[in-house]
Amino acid sequence: MFRWAKGYAYTGKRLFEKTVTIQYPQQKPKIPEGWRGRHYFYPDRCTACDACARVCPTEVITVVSHRDPETKKKILDDYTIEFERCILCGYCEEACPVDAIKMGDVYELASYAREQEFMTQEKMLPPGYSTDVVVHGQGEAYRGGDYRTKPEKKVNH
Amino acid sequence: MAVEQRPGAGTAVEVREVPSLMTEEEQTLHKNVFLTTIDAVTGWGRAHSIWPLTFGLACCAIEMMAVGGAHHDFDRFGVIFRPSPRQADLMIVSGTVTKKMAPLLRRLYDQMPAPKWVISMGSCSTCGGPYYEAYSVLKGVDQIVPVDIYVPGCPPRPEALMYGVMKLQEKIMDESMPDWLRKRVKR
């Protein structure tokens, strides 16, 4: 008979509780640890082993490198991510043996054009790094082909 | 206006227009103060009462629903989800657009009234995402509708979508008279 009173009591109790709404532009949400946002790339750590590019399921990572003829070591020329297709799985972070790529906590990534979502090394610099560490390619691979536009794969449409 | 005398031209004086330091937009603003104010008012009104058509196709739709909920509360931006394209002026394409769905998306876009915008939410609708080599998935909704904002992520956080809507609001505020109205004025 007094079931309605029970309902009203519950509503009245909730009425004076603290609101759950996060006032987003003024108040930023608490990002949990281990959450994967846009990458941070450390050009000084990268050894150009190509592990991240091989493990990437959507093939967005491009590592351009050349081999030093004297020391026989790989030298990084450029590192880019086509972020529009990236699914933020974090496999690249797992595969990297030297922690050169890390998933960050950046999520405000909306843009007016698809071209703006092409991530260069400058865009992926971690906080506190200056642009001096960015690698400007000197190798043959960098100067040679237009690696930024991959050849179209054959897909049966 | 500047007066300049050419050597060898005798007493003839040539009058040349000095290029203004103002940008083209500022010049227009000086000429049309009243109309630009109306533009600002209409832009403000449009930007703060965006009614999106829910176009949830995949897991991004769950995040879109979360934005509508109490925790994130899209109503603070004046965004109220509409089920009908006739009442909407923004289309949030959230999810994988298959080639079977593409003509229907275009039809719903055509049914929306004139000042209309499109947000492509998630990597699937932006460029196919993980299905970028699939035979049945559209590689980007910008192939069939004009997209204003791209929100990357798989799926994006609710805040990422809210940031996208805020960027769209900035864009709408900067827009002056829309094309459909301009055509009507010219007639």
Side-chain angles (χ1 to χ4, degrees), chain A residues 21-22 59 111-112 153 157, chain B residues 70-71 99 132-133 150 167:
Chain A
T21 308
I22 304 168
E59 300 172 3
S111 57
Y112 294 118
K153 286 193 177 175
H157 287 293
Chain B
H71 211 88
K99 287 193 174 153
Y132 73 107
E133 278 182 327
Y150 296 92
K167 280 201 100 168

Side-chain angles (χ1 to χ4, degrees), chain A residues 19-32 35 56-60 82-89 105-117 119 150 153-157, chain B residues 70-73 76-77 99 122-124 126-137 139-143 147-155 157 159-160 162-168 170-171:
Chain A
T19 50
V20 291
T21 308
I22 304 168
Q23 303 289 331
Y24 163 62
Q26 295 87 27
Q27 188 188 350
K28 301 280 158 126
K30 213 175 181 182
I31 300 293
W35 186 79
C56 183
T58 49
E59 300 172 3
V60 295
E82 296 163 52
F83 194 72
E84 56 175 20
R85 208 162 69 232
C86 177
I87 55 168
L88 300 163
C89 59
D105 51 359
V106 187
Y107 54 86
E108 292 171 332
L109 296 159
S111 57
Y112 294 118
R114 269 170 77 163
E115 292 77 42
Q116 291 171 9
E117 282 164 26
M119 292 293 159
K150 282 184 183 173
K153 286 193 177 175
K154 267 201 173 176
V155 182
N156 295 322
H157 287 293
Chain B
H71 211 88
H72 302 283
D73 201 8
R76 294 181 291 127
F77 298 93
K99 287 193 174 153
S123 56
C124 282
T126 304
C127 65
Y131 315 107
Y132 73 107
E133 278 182 327
Y135 64 93
S136 60
V137 174
K139 314 296 182 299
V141 276
D142 53 355
Q143 293 181 7
V147 180
D148 294 287
I149 302 285
Y150 296 92
V151 184
C154 191
R157 275 187 80 89
E159 288 84 16
M162 277 198 263
Y163 181 74
V165 168
M166 278 156 61
K167 280 201 100 168
L168 181 68
E170 282 171 27
K171 183 175 183 174

Side-chain angles (χ1 to χ4, degrees), chain A:
Chain A
M1 189 180 173
F2 289 105
R3 270 183 293 180
W4 58 271
K6 205 176 167 186
Y8 272 114
Y10 189 77
T11 312
K13 204 170 73 186
R14 291 274 160 172
L15 202 61
F16 299 104
E17 273 185 6
K18 204 182 159 196
T19 50
V20 291
T21 308
I22 304 168
Q23 303 289 331
Y24 163 62
Q26 295 87 27
Q27 188 188 350
K28 301 280 158 126
K30 213 175 181 182
I31 300 293
E33 203 172 318
W35 186 79
R36 300 187 295 271
R38 202 211 53 209
H39 314 75
Y40 286 128
F41 180 66
Y42 300 79
D44 50 342
R45 293 185 197 166
C46 184
T47 53
C49 66
D50 215 30
C52 49
R54 268 182 282 132
V55 81
C56 183
T58 49
E59 300 172 3
V60 295
I61 300 176
T62 309
V63 184
V64 184
S65 64
H66 71 279
R67 208 173 274 279
D68 194 349
E70 288 173 13
T71 56
K72 306 285 181 196
K73 276 186 176 176
K74 270 189 170 180
I75 297 168
L76 185 71
D77 287 328
D78 201 1
Y79 192 95
T80 54
I81 293 179
E82 296 163 52
F83 194 72
E84 56 175 20
R85 208 162 69 232
C86 177
I87 55 168
L88 300 163
C89 59
Y91 284 4
C92 46
E93 187 189 20
E94 279 179 34
C96 188
V98 288
D99 287 349
I101 187 154
K102 289 261 182 190
M103 307 302 282
D105 51 359
V106 187
Y107 54 86
E108 292 171 332
L109 296 159
S111 57
Y112 294 118
R114 269 170 77 163
E115 292 77 42
Q116 291 171 9
E117 282 164 26
F118 189 86
M119 292 293 159
T120 53
Q121 292 175 60
E122 285 89 353
K123 286 187 186 172
M124 291 188 291
L125 268 187
Y129 268 62
S130 72
T131 48
D132 304 339
V133 290
V134 169
V135 181
H136 299 292
Q138 286 102 30
E140 290 293 325
Y142 187 84
R143 277 185 269 126
D146 189 9
Y147 65 92
R148 292 199 176 189
T149 51
K150 282 184 183 173
E152 285 277 322
K153 286 193 177 175
K154 267 201 173 176
V155 182
N156 295 322
H157 287 293

